[in-house]
Amino acid sequence: MIAKRYRIQRWRAQKLLKKGESQKVGNFIMRYAPNKLTYHRWAIVMSTKFEKLAVERNRKRRQTYEAIRHTMEEIPNHPQNQHYDVVLIPYKQILSCNYQRIHQNVIDIFKSLSHKKSS
């Protein structure tokens, strides 16, 4: 799990889902908007339509947060770069993905965020 300061509050995540920009990266839909902080903040949204069992939804959510945490340690954070609030919405195919594939998708998300230009 990532630290609380790197997570987005529920009301802010709902706002991002309505008004944020969208992009498909790997097995995720990424909704994002710039923030004024020196780091990215994250949220993962999975509904019961995704999987009926909460155990399975929570397992994939924990794996995704863990992949984010490891990627944040691997990729150095540059304070001068633009940082974003990011909401990840997984596709149903993620249920059959292992942790390595989820981690690779998260690395791709970080790369796509680093190539964004601030607007």
Side-chain angles (χ1 to χ4, degrees):
M1 195 59 125
I2 60 176
K4 190 171 183 177
R5 70 183 261 196
Y6 297 118
R7 287 185 270 154
I8 300 174
Q9 299 94 347
R10 184 175 298 212
W11 66 270
R12 194 177 304 267
Q14 290 172 342
K15 187 177 174 184
L16 267 175
L17 288 172
K18 292 179 184 174
K19 297 190 178 184
E21 294 182 47
S22 181
Q23 180 181 353
K24 180 189 182 304
V25 179
N27 290 325
F28 293 95
I29 297 173
M30 177 177 70
R31 304 284 299 199
Y32 60 94
N35 66 29
K36 296 180 181 176
L37 304 171
T38 59
Y39 50 87
H40 299 299
R41 291 188 300 185
W42 302 88
I44 300 166
V45 176
M46 293 185 198
S47 70
T48 54
K49 290 180 182 178
F50 179 76
E51 170 63 45
K52 296 292 182 198
L53 295 175
V55 174
E56 294 300 322
R57 289 194 310 269
N58 290 336
R59 177 178 292 127
K60 291 303 174 182
R61 184 180 296 120
R62 284 192 310 269
Q63 286 179 349
T64 306
Y65 275 128
E66 189 66 14
I68 290 169
R69 187 179 69 80
H70 281 130
T71 307
M72 286 169 54
E73 292 172 358
E74 293 170 7
I75 297 175
N77 186 16
H78 298 290
Q80 69 273 16
N81 290 350
Q82 178 64 49
H83 293 88
Y84 295 92
D85 289 340
V86 182
V87 175
L88 298 177
I89 307 163
Y91 285 107
K92 196 163 185 140
Q93 295 91 353
I94 202 164
L95 290 174
S96 61
C97 291
N98 59 9
Y99 176 76
Q100 285 76 23
R101 184 174 291 170
I102 293 171
H103 189 251
Q104 185 57 49
N105 285 331
V106 170
I107 290 171
D108 295 340
I109 289 168
F110 270 84
K111 287 179 183 176
S112 75
L113 287 175
S114 67
H115 290 100
K116 300 278 178 225
K117 299 290 183 199
S118 60
S119 38

